[in-house]
Amino acid sequence: MIKFWNKSILIGTILLLILAGCGKSSETSSKQNGDAQKEMDVRISYNLPAEHSTGIYFEELANEIKKNTANTSIKLNPQTFPNGQLYNDQQLPDAVSNGAVEIGQLNVGFLAGEDAEPLRIVDLPFLFDSWEAEWAAEDGEYGKLFGKQLEKYNMKMIGFAQYGTVELYANKTIKLPENLKGLKMRAFGKGNALMLEEIGASPVSMSSQEVYQAMQQGTIDGYSTGPSSVVDRGLTEVTKYGTDMQIHYLPFQSVVNMDWWNKLPEDVQNAVLKASETAQKASREKAKSDAEEYLQKLSAKGLELYKPSAEDRKKWVDSVKGRYDYYLKKSGDMGKQLYDAAQKAN
């Protein structure tokens, strides 16, 4: 009799376990069918400080993505890695293209191959007449064409992160194009290197994180970058002279890995695009408001800035006309379309 009851208890226990297992399996299946929201971590990598206008874009993007996906089919949990913590500007194109990060800052100067040639329009000096002309281009046909070309690199462009203006800096006076002849100048990318070479300088390619030490040791005579980077990276300690002539109104591109993007449901994609619109607006406002402030900071720290007269500015523009001829020759039909769209925005 005792043996019978032991067997009954054992059989009953097994049945209860089986039923409990079935119940648990049903609950998991229910979650998989969409009754419960899934979550996904997202890495956002960029190469400037968080307080910079470019950093403002990516930090605001992360905040808006988190907010906008709170109730979408997948909740995205973004984490930002500013100032080259994961990858520097030379490494980021491959990192995004290969999926090492989901979202990143792109400097097209570090893209390789023929497909990058049309995108090097961002390196053309004096391309846009004003901030507003640049933004009109990015929000219009120019921006659409730019994004289409980037798809060839397995990237989806979701917006523009405003950098600011680009100038020239050195430990020797820079007032006219001939002042650059023979100087070793850090280039901002391939297109910028071609501009410096055309004027007569010897361009050197290096990451922005390496410029301070190179100037300190005399490895280079100067560099091309924006006033914001000179201040934020402490380059005023190793630099004496600079220009104030808005060679470029420069944005970076905010790109996502295409394979990752294509797997996202439409509602999540739309939430990310909406987040980028908000971030882009904040970045633009920050860059423009900071522009004059950074120039004042440079002067206060002892840099001698040269603002050219109309006559001298024309000399600079004339000195780089060959860059336009070269670009249109190398970039093909897509380059011509981008150039026409930029001119229309002006």
Side-chain angles (χ1 to χ4, degrees):
M1 180 68 70
I2 293 173
K3 289 182 180 180
F4 172 79
W5 281 109
N6 285 342
K7 284 184 178 180
S8 298
I9 292 169
L10 178 62
I11 292 170
T13 301
I14 291 171
L15 287 171
L16 285 171
L17 288 171
I18 291 172
L19 290 171
C22 289
K24 184 176 182 180
S25 175
S26 174
E27 181 180 347
T28 302
S29 174
S30 175
K31 286 183 179 180
Q32 290 175 347
N33 288 334
D35 291 344
Q37 187 187 39
K38 298 179 183 179
E39 295 192 14
M40 181 185 297
D41 293 334
V42 179
R43 295 157 296 183
I44 301 178
S45 179
Y46 61 96
N47 193 52
L48 285 156
E51 62 273 13
H52 187 276
S53 57
T54 299
I56 292 295
Y57 170 88
F58 287 104
E59 294 300 325
E60 188 73 11
L61 178 70
N63 292 335
E64 290 294 313
I65 285 176
K66 185 175 182 179
K67 182 174 71 175
N68 292 353
T69 63
N71 297 305
T72 53
S73 54
I74 298 177
K75 179 182 178 181
L76 300 182
N77 298 314
Q79 182 179 3
T80 58
F81 298 89
N83 216 21
Q85 288 178 7
L86 284 184
Y87 302 98
N88 64 30
D89 46 2
Q90 292 175 306
Q91 298 165 334
L92 270 168
D94 284 339
V96 177
S97 181
N98 297 331
V101 294
E102 288 76 29
I103 304 176
Q105 167 198 336
L106 176 67
N107 179 345
V108 299
F110 295 115
L111 285 177
E114 291 184 2
D115 288 330
E117 294 301 330
L119 301 174
R120 302 201 196 286
I121 191 169
V122 298
D123 294 324
L124 290 179
F126 310 107
L127 176 65
F128 292 114
D129 296 337
S130 64
W131 297 99
E132 289 73 21
E134 178 210 331
W135 299 338
E138 292 168 358
D139 294 342
E141 184 64 17
Y142 175 93
K144 293 177 183 177
L145 292 168
F146 212 100
K148 180 180 178 181
Q149 190 69 9
L150 276 175
E151 291 179 4
K152 297 180 179 181
Y153 286 89
N154 200 37
M155 299 178 191
K156 163 77 176 177
M157 187 177 76
I158 60 172
F160 289 91
Q162 190 67 53
Y163 175 78
T165 60
V166 173
E167 303 290 346
L168 298 171
Y169 299 91
N171 280 332
K172 298 182 180 179
T173 304
I174 301 176
K175 293 185 177 181
L176 295 171
E178 51 261 35
N179 296 142
L180 290 185
K181 294 188 185 301
L183 298 188
K184 291 182 181 179
M185 299 285 291
R186 179 260 180 175
F188 201 76
K190 183 178 179 180
N192 187 244
L194 290 170
M195 180 198 81
L196 292 170
E197 187 174 34
E198 183 174 338
I199 295 174
S202 298
V204 178
S205 179
M206 65 175 63
S207 173
S208 53
Q209 277 91 358
E210 302 173 80
V211 173
Y212 186 100
Q213 187 175 9
M215 287 291 289
Q216 190 177 48
Q217 296 178 349
T219 307
I220 57 175
D221 299 304
Y223 50 91
S224 177
T225 192
S228 55
S229 285
V230 181
V231 174
D232 294 340
R233 296 190 185 280
L235 294 173
T236 52
E237 298 172 7
V238 291
T239 310
K240 295 180 181 179
Y241 303 99
T243 62
D244 176 17
M245 56 183 174
Q246 295 79 49
I247 300 170
H248 301 277
Y249 291 98
L250 183 69
F252 290 115
Q253 292 71 44
S254 175
V255 290
V256 305
N257 175 266
M258 184 66 81
D259 298 327
W260 173 77
W261 179 260
N262 288 336
K263 292 176 183 177
L264 293 178
E266 186 177 358
D267 66 327
V268 180
Q269 290 181 346
N270 290 336
V272 172
L273 292 175
K274 183 180 178 182
S276 180
E277 288 180 9
T278 302
Q280 184 172 268
K281 184 175 185 294
S283 177
R284 288 173 174 177
E285 290 174 352
K286 173 69 172 172
K288 189 174 182 180
S289 66
D290 281 353
E292 187 59 37
E293 183 181 340
Y294 276 118
L295 290 176
Q296 292 173 359
K297 287 181 178 180
L298 289 175
S299 296
K301 290 180 179 291
L303 257 75
E304 185 178 316
L305 299 177
Y306 177 67
K307 189 172 183 64
S309 63
E311 182 181 354
D312 284 353
R313 184 179 176 83
K314 185 176 185 305
K315 291 178 182 178
W316 281 99
V317 173
D318 290 343
S319 73
V320 296
K321 280 185 177 179
R323 284 289 300 116
Y324 284 78
D325 296 334
Y326 179 89
Y327 169 77
L328 291 170
K329 181 180 179 181
K330 289 278 290 183
S331 60
D333 182 61
M334 176 60 79
K336 181 64 165 57
Q337 292 182 56
L338 281 164
Y339 175 77
D340 289 345
Q343 293 306 305
K344 185 178 179 180
N346 278 331

